[in-house]
């Protein structure tokens, strides 16, 4: 399917029945780095089993190698794909965003002033950034290890690659803040004239669900999926001690105080298995898709 298209994985009759009788909101799925819509067939099946007739839409855009494109470019493309879906969903939509897709969804939610996202489910996404040697990293930058990747990422050329947009080297924070065109801007770690508006827009969501676990094997540190991250000694600083939470930069603390921030820690799940694990779905996702 061509970029910009959407795969609708439910029947028209089923959608009409769901809206009229059950009222389930449409679910939009955004994939991660180096994957595409076909990886989410099992998750779609789980959703339709637990919420029959739900309109589940997997955005077929920036698949596989194209997922390396700069994240603001991807946000722009995904915005064009999801906006018509939102406009046709009177009661709102749910977002399930996997891995890198969770960061794309944050960009979408922050910059779409009239969005109607109800539940934003961030599924093993490096929300606080990434800093670790993984197979994904070696595939993109085979000659670099994590300690030296900042040299490739923290410049105008490096920022054309998605992984560099959220590469967060705790030993080179000043360079990260200066050069990160995406995560540092979303987090207002560098001056962002849109920060107040983006925060207000982000807080339109009704629920933020953060899912991750210690056996992920890709998201590094794994606590990044819950907005935890390394300090300069590579010791984990929990979400509630991070500046983005303490200063409530984009609304994380506000969501928590509202009771609308959900943390789901799930051990024993490898990175590529999050969206096909029945127990993860039952315990961490299903209840938020009504």
């Amino acid at each position: 399917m061509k970029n910009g298209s959407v795969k609708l994985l439910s029947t028209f009759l089923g959608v009409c029945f769901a809206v009229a009788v059950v009222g389930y909101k449409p679910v939009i799925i955004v994939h991660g780095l180096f994957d595409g819509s076909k990886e989410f067939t099992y998750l779609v099946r789980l959703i339709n089993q637990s919420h029959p007739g739900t309109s589940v839409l997997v955005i077929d855009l920036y698949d596989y190698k194209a997922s390396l494109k700069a994240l603001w470019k991807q946000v722009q493309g995904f915005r064009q794909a999801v906006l018509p879906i939102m406009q046709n969903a009177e009661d709102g939509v749910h977002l399930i965003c996997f891995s890198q897709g969770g960061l794309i969804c944050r960009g979408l939610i922050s910059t779409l002033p009239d969005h109607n996202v109800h539940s934003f489910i961030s599924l093993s996404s490096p929300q606080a950034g990434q800093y670790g040697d993984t197979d994904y990293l070696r595939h993109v930058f085979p000659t670099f290890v994590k300690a030296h990747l900042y040299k490739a990422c923290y410049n105008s050329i490096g920022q054309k690659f998605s992984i560099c947009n959220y590469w967060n080297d705790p030993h080179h924070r000043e360079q990260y803040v200066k050069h990160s065109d995406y995560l540092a801007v979303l987090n207002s770690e560098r001056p962002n004239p849109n920060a107040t508006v983006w925060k207000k827009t982000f807080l339109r969501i009704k629920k933020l669900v953060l899912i991750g676990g210690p056996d992920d094997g890709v998201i590094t540190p794994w606590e990044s999926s819950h907005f935890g991250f390394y300090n300069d000694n590579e010791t984990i600083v929990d979400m509630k001690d991070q500046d983005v939470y303490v200063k409530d930069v984009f609304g994380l603390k506000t969501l928590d105080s509202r009771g609308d921030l959900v943390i789901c820690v799930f051990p024993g799940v490898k990175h590529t298995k999050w969206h096909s694990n029945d127990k993860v779905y039952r315990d961490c996702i299903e209840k938020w898709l009504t």
Side-chain angles (χ1 to χ4, degrees):
M1 189 171 287
K2 294 181 179 179
N3 279 354
S5 58
V6 172
K7 287 187 176 177
L8 176 56
L9 299 177
S10 61
T11 66
F12 178 77
L13 179 60
V15 173
C16 290
F17 179 80
V19 172
V21 179
V22 181
Y24 295 129
K25 298 173 182 64
V27 177
I28 300 171
I29 298 175
V30 176
H31 67 76
L33 184 66
F34 294 138
D35 60 19
S37 57
K38 70 179 184 179
E39 276 76 22
F40 294 86
T41 302
Y42 191 76
L43 177 58
V44 172
R45 186 181 309 142
L46 289 174
I47 295 170
N48 279 318
Q49 286 173 353
S50 64
H51 297 73
T54 298
S55 174
V56 185
L57 307 108
V58 184
I59 308 300
D60 196 28
L61 184 64
Y62 296 111
D63 294 353
Y64 307 107
K65 288 184 179 180
S67 65
L68 284 170
K69 291 185 182 294
L71 289 185
W72 282 123
K73 181 178 180 63
Q74 294 194 50
V75 167
Q76 183 178 6
F78 278 101
R79 182 189 294 119
Q80 294 173 354
V82 304
L83 193 54
I85 302 168
M86 292 181 178
Q87 290 172 338
N88 288 320
E90 182 178 347
D91 295 326
V93 302
H94 300 303
L95 289 182
I96 301 177
C97 309
F98 173 62
S99 194
Q100 178 179 278
L103 290 169
I104 292 171
C105 287
R106 268 187 70 196
L108 276 172
I109 292 169
S110 299
T111 60
L112 266 177
D114 297 320
H115 77 76
N116 57 357
V117 175
H118 193 280
S119 296
F120 168 27
I121 300 171
S122 173
L123 185 57
S124 188
S125 175
Q127 293 292 355
Q130 173 78 4
Y131 183 70
D133 291 320
T134 67
D135 288 341
Y136 285 69
L137 174 63
R138 287 185 282 271
H139 183 76
V140 182
F141 299 105
T143 61
F144 284 89
V145 294
K146 69 177 185 180
H148 301 291
L149 188 60
Y150 75 95
K151 298 174 185 177
C153 281
Y154 294 158
N155 55 68
S156 59
I157 301 299
Q159 288 300 303
K160 293 180 180 180
F161 293 90
S162 63
I163 194 170
C164 286
N165 292 157
Y166 51 94
W167 186 255
N168 188 355
D169 188 328
H171 307 291
H172 298 90
R173 287 286 301 170
E174 289 186 7
Q175 292 188 54
Y176 157 75
V177 170
K178 179 179 179 180
H179 293 286
S180 173
D181 288 341
Y182 193 80
L183 186 60
V185 177
L186 267 185
N187 288 344
S188 292
E189 293 168 301
R190 59 196 275 191
N192 176 12
N194 298 308
T196 300
V197 174
W198 286 9
K199 178 179 178 179
K200 181 179 179 180
T201 303
F202 186 78
L203 286 171
R204 288 174 61 90
I205 65 174
K206 307 304 181 187
K207 196 71 65 176
L208 172 60
V209 183
L210 302 173
I211 304 170
D215 301 306
D216 181 274
V218 171
I219 304 303
T220 311
W222 71 266
E223 290 91 346
S224 181
S225 58
H226 301 132
F227 285 98
F229 205 72
Y230 295 128
N231 62 15
D232 58 5
N233 293 319
E234 295 192 31
T235 299
I236 294 297
V237 178
D238 291 335
M239 175 188 71
K240 291 188 177 182
D241 294 318
Q242 294 283 346
D243 278 353
V244 293
Y245 182 92
V246 173
K247 298 177 181 178
D248 202 23
V249 173
F250 61 87
L252 202 55
K253 189 175 183 179
T254 297
L255 284 170
D256 196 14
S257 65
R258 279 177 11 193
D260 293 328
L261 175 60
V262 178
I263 304 292
C264 186
V265 179
F266 214 99
V269 182
K270 297 299 183 184
H271 188 67
T272 57
K273 301 299 182 181
W274 286 103
H275 43 73
S276 59
N277 186 293
D278 290 63
K279 190 162 176 48
V280 170
Y281 178 76
R282 303 299 178 199
D283 290 359
C284 301
I285 299 175
E286 179 180 356
K287 68 181 74 174
W288 309 116
L289 299 183
T290 57

